Amino acid sequence: YDFLASSRFSWRRFLLQLALQATAMLDALTHENRETVLILDDTTIERPRAKKVELLARVFDHCEGRFLKGFRMLTLAWSDGASLIPLDFALLSSTDPCNRYQNATKVVDRRSCGAMRRREATMKSTSLLVPMLRRVLAAGTKARYLLMDSWFGLPAIISALCPLLPVICMVKRTPKILYGFGGKRLTLDGIYRELKKRRGRAKVLASAVITLNGGQSARLVFVRDRRKKDWLALLSTDLSLPEADVVRIYGKRWDIEVFFRTAKQFLGLEKGCQARDFDSLIAHATIVLMRS
């Protein structure tokens, strides 16, 4: 218990170095034509009966559409389409002190890894994306694209991440977000109405080159939604990538959803540790990711 609760161990560096060894081994076995990708996503760690867990907060689960008691785990993983290896994560509380059931109570050295993790836990997740991606790439991780869900597919986030790695993500259909197309500022629905659709049962309905707020050019690919008579929009900052490849590569993002479910059901990510100390939660999450 004392080992897990120590604030001086750099669990992040240990996980990244171990993951680099694993990705190097798998990369040597992977054909050069297969695209290796980084996947960015988050999941909730629920602690419904907890009361005095350090930095425990009221967080929103966008999959279930409700608030719950626990944490959000922002994760960056590597995948070749067959295997997935987690590289880095951040265990997040709430940025609003009113939504926290407990604040940071443990006295630690401000220079220690535990203190840095506690400061990180109360920051916005969007402010952690660029440092996390830079840290992984600087360590030597090799990947061609960064995949994200629509929750991170905002123009400001895409513009900040695409200089580091080409981004492929799903984008939301909302009237609040506008893109430059044909000399006008239009929503996704407005752009879709302007395009000529493909006939028949084509999976890709249409595509268009648009401009983000920062002037970055990107390609929108509108695909048929198999669940209902509607469409979905994918965005790629790599304009040379064919439409079919954008859809195919984005399909690799599902690997991290399977990983989260496996880690919770079989590796005890949620229920495997009942500690109240935040350092212990970080250590437990790291060990679970190592076992995966």
Side-chain angles (χ1 to χ4, degrees):
Y1 290 105
D2 292 339
F3 174 72
L4 294 178
S6 175
S7 62
R8 297 184 178 277
F9 295 120
S10 182
W11 290 101
R12 168 168 284 154
R13 181 181 298 178
F14 179 68
L15 175 65
L16 182 56
Q17 292 299 321
L18 180 64
L20 287 175
Q21 296 294 327
T23 56
M25 179 190 68
L26 293 176
D27 193 52
L29 303 175
T30 304
H31 195 276
E32 59 181 6
N33 293 334
R34 176 180 288 183
E35 300 88 353
T36 55
V37 297
L38 297 182
I39 308 174
L40 187 64
D41 203 359
D42 66 342
T43 187
T44 53
I45 307 296
E46 191 171 5
R47 297 291 296 271
R49 299 183 180 181
K51 295 182 179 179
K52 296 184 179 181
V53 176
E54 192 175 9
L55 292 175
L56 184 72
R58 183 172 176 263
V59 296
F60 184 73
D61 187 345
H62 53 74
C63 293
E64 299 185 8
R66 65 183 181 91
F67 283 91
L68 52 84
K69 185 188 294 186
F71 302 90
R72 288 174 55 224
M73 192 171 79
L74 179 65
T75 307
L76 183 63
W78 176 94
S79 176
D80 62 353
S83 304
L84 184 135
I85 298 176
L87 302 173
D88 197 359
F89 76 95
L91 197 62
L92 304 179
S93 180
S94 175
T95 57
D96 187 357
C98 298
N99 287 334
R100 295 183 210 143
Y101 296 99
Q102 294 289 335
N103 290 316
T105 56
K106 187 175 179 180
V107 179
V108 296
D109 190 338
R110 294 182 179 181
R111 301 166 295 177
S112 65
C113 298
M116 296 178 185
R117 288 280 198 167
R118 285 169 172 80
R119 290 194 295 269
E120 181 183 79
T122 56
M123 297 171 62
K124 291 184 178 180
S125 59
T126 53
S127 64
L128 303 176
L129 303 182
V130 173
M132 184 178 289
L133 182 58
R134 281 179 176 168
R135 187 163 51 238
V136 167
L137 294 177
T141 304
K142 298 179 181 179
R144 295 190 188 182
Y145 302 100
L146 174 65
L147 309 184
M148 304 186 297
D149 199 3
S150 59
W151 301 104
F152 299 101
L154 302 176
I157 297 177
I158 297 171
S159 299
L161 293 174
C162 66
L164 302 176
L165 204 64
V167 175
I168 299 177
C169 65
M170 186 175 289
V171 288
K172 293 182 179 180
R173 295 175 62 177
T174 170
K176 297 181 180 180
I177 300 178
L178 302 178
Y179 303 92
F181 178 72
K184 297 181 289 185
R185 302 288 295 172
L186 299 174
T187 62
L188 276 180
D189 292 276
I191 296 174
Y192 184 73
R193 286 192 294 267
E194 294 284 332
L195 299 175
K196 183 179 179 180
K197 318 305 183 296
R198 296 176 182 172
R199 298 179 179 181
R201 296 182 176 272
K203 294 182 180 179
V204 178
L205 300 174
S207 67
V209 177
I210 54 95
T211 304
L212 302 177
N213 296 339
Q216 172 70 35
S217 298
R219 183 184 300 277
L220 282 176
V221 180
F222 297 91
V223 298
R224 192 183 303 276
D225 190 349
R226 295 180 298 177
R227 299 170 297 179
K228 51 186 177 181
K229 295 182 179 180
D230 207 345
W231 51 268
L232 302 171
L234 302 179
L235 184 146
S236 171
T237 59
D238 186 358
L239 299 180
S240 64
L241 197 62
E243 301 165 359
D245 288 343
V246 172
V247 179
R248 176 181 58 82
I249 295 173
Y250 182 76
K252 298 181 181 183
R253 198 204 66 82
W254 185 251
D255 293 347
I256 200 168
E257 302 290 353
V258 178
F259 163 76
F260 285 146
R261 183 175 181 179
T262 302
K264 291 180 180 180
Q265 291 188 353
F266 301 105
L267 300 179
L269 180 61
E270 274 188 328
K271 301 179 180 180
C273 178
Q274 300 300 320
R276 300 177 181 178
D277 184 78
F278 192 72
D279 293 311
S280 298
L281 298 179
I282 294 293
H284 169 72
T286 305
I287 293 172
V288 169
L289 298 187
M290 288 164 49
R291 293 171 60 197
S292 64

